[in-house]
Amino acid sequence: MNTFFCALALLLPLAALAQPAPEQTIDTHLLQRHDLPYRFTTLDLDSADGQRHYRLWIGKPERPAPPAGYPVLWMLDGNAAFSALQAPALRRLADGQAPVLVAIGYQSEQRIERSARTFDYTPQVPGLAEQRDPLSGQPSGGADAFLDLLEQRMRPLLAAQLALDARHQTLWGHSYGGLAVLHALFTRPGMFSDYAAASPSLWWRNGVILSEADGLAERLKDHRPRLLLMRGSEEPANPRAPLGSDSENALQQLRTTLAPIQALQVSYRRFEGLGHGPMLPASLAAVLEILANDPPP
């Protein structure tokens, strides 16, 4: 992945890099377009406990599936991810790998469903009596239940509709979603072939995610995943830190920890001039560009 980086200007209009307002609603214009090499449908399902209600925005390429099946790009914060997709990027994807696109969102009109994502994208903290998010106080610690749902229900539902290539599947996430991507890699390194963590919340619970990397080399076994880390140069170290604070210490620590693991390919991209909010569409655009330039499997 680290050899395929191109200009984002071809993929995103400048307006898409603006900081989204918290109350911003999802943009569903792609559902009405018929001039694109992708067709989008939706699929609804609930969490095992019935507390969270998901909507998958599924983009199927018009190109027939290759013999091994379609590669897949799974996108967290699916309402926002779906809203960030642009026609030029979809056309470039169709000329490249043409993966199936799955934006895992929620049955909400909001771009960001904060309560559900807080639970779904954060890991359990060992020894913590009450699993609560340190910023909002909302319930946290549901990352494993969410990944179980993705693996045991979302994937089979998608596979019942489309031929999928289990060897070429990417998971992308931003912020808390980036935290979830790292948790998936560290605990389930064979679940995806590629992990793309944008602006991961490494500060969360005093960096508990960093400890999850312990023993990863042994857990990899025969798997050879790739990890792409992304961060904007204008992001603070944590949500309560001032701008200009050193935001890359934890990221550099993580890269140092992972460097000796030969079975894991790690690459890093720094986005000059971008803060935390604009990193969501920019990082997704970068991943789409990588997939557009990768040869079909």
Side-chain angles (χ1 to χ4, degrees):
M1 292 178 76
N2 57 336
T3 59
F4 301 103
F5 291 120
C6 298
L8 298 180
L10 295 175
L11 294 170
L12 286 172
L14 292 178
L17 299 180
Q19 175 75 37
E23 69 280 1
Q24 191 171 353
T25 57
I26 188 173
D27 181 352
T28 61
H29 74 281
L30 290 179
L31 293 177
Q32 284 73 50
R33 294 195 60 163
H34 301 287
D35 60 337
L36 298 174
Y38 274 84
R39 291 292 176 264
F40 287 92
T41 58
T42 61
L43 176 65
D44 291 350
L45 71 158
D46 296 332
S47 61
D49 61 7
Q51 297 302 303
R52 288 162 303 287
H53 312 288
Y54 302 93
R55 175 159 295 154
L56 307 188
W57 308 87
I58 302 169
K60 177 186 178 298
E62 288 190 335
R63 178 194 297 180
Y70 290 109
V72 186
L73 171 61
W74 299 86
M75 299 168 281
L76 304 183
D77 279 322
N79 292 20
F82 183 71
S83 298
L85 295 176
Q86 299 293 323
L90 296 178
R91 294 190 180 99
R92 290 172 65 83
L93 278 176
D95 291 335
Q97 277 200 32
V100 169
L101 304 175
V102 185
I104 306 175
Y106 298 94
Q107 296 173 38
S108 167
E109 294 302 314
Q110 299 300 306
R111 258 181 101 255
I112 301 293
E113 213 300 328
R114 301 185 185 282
S115 177
R117 78 188 291 269
T118 296
F119 184 79
D120 282 340
Y121 300 163
T122 54
Q124 286 272 340
V125 179
L128 194 64
E130 189 175 22
Q131 303 287 330
R132 292 278 175 179
D133 179 61
L135 283 183
S136 65
Q138 294 174 339
S140 62
D144 283 313
F146 172 75
L147 291 174
D148 285 345
L149 187 74
L150 196 162
E151 189 168 25
Q152 298 169 16
R153 291 191 59 199
M154 293 181 185
R155 261 188 186 163
L157 285 170
L158 188 66
Q161 299 181 13
L162 301 167
L164 306 181
D165 185 351
R167 302 167 305 162
H168 295 91
Q169 302 207 17
T170 299
L171 179 66
W172 166 88
H174 167 263
S175 189
Y176 275 31
L179 186 72
V181 168
L182 291 177
H183 178 71
L185 170 63
F186 296 158
T187 62
R188 309 180 191 210
M191 190 171 174
F192 300 91
S193 59
D194 294 88
Y195 298 78
S199 311
S201 300
L202 300 179
W203 56 268
W204 193 82
R205 285 291 178 191
N206 298 315
V208 68
I209 193 66
L210 300 176
S211 65
E212 291 190 354
D214 295 341
L216 176 59
E218 291 74 22
R219 289 192 295 277
L220 282 170
K221 298 181 180 178
D222 294 330
H223 302 298
R224 298 291 184 271
R226 300 186 291 184
L227 170 63
L228 172 61
L229 296 167
M230 295 171 279
R231 194 168 189 88
S233 65
E234 302 306 307
E235 296 191 70
N238 63 68
R240 291 173 175 156
L243 288 176
S245 60
D246 187 352
S247 64
E248 296 198 54
N249 279 344
L251 195 59
Q252 294 298 346
Q253 179 185 342
L254 176 60
R255 294 171 67 192
T256 299
T257 299
L258 299 178
I261 304 177
Q262 295 183 355
L264 177 66
Q265 179 183 331
V266 182
S267 56
Y268 171 64
R269 182 172 181 186
R270 176 184 169 96
F271 290 70
E272 295 298 332
L274 292 190
H276 192 69
M279 276 297 297
L280 188 155
S283 64
L284 180 57
V287 171
L288 296 177
E289 184 71 8
I290 290 166
L291 294 175
N293 282 280
D294 267 350

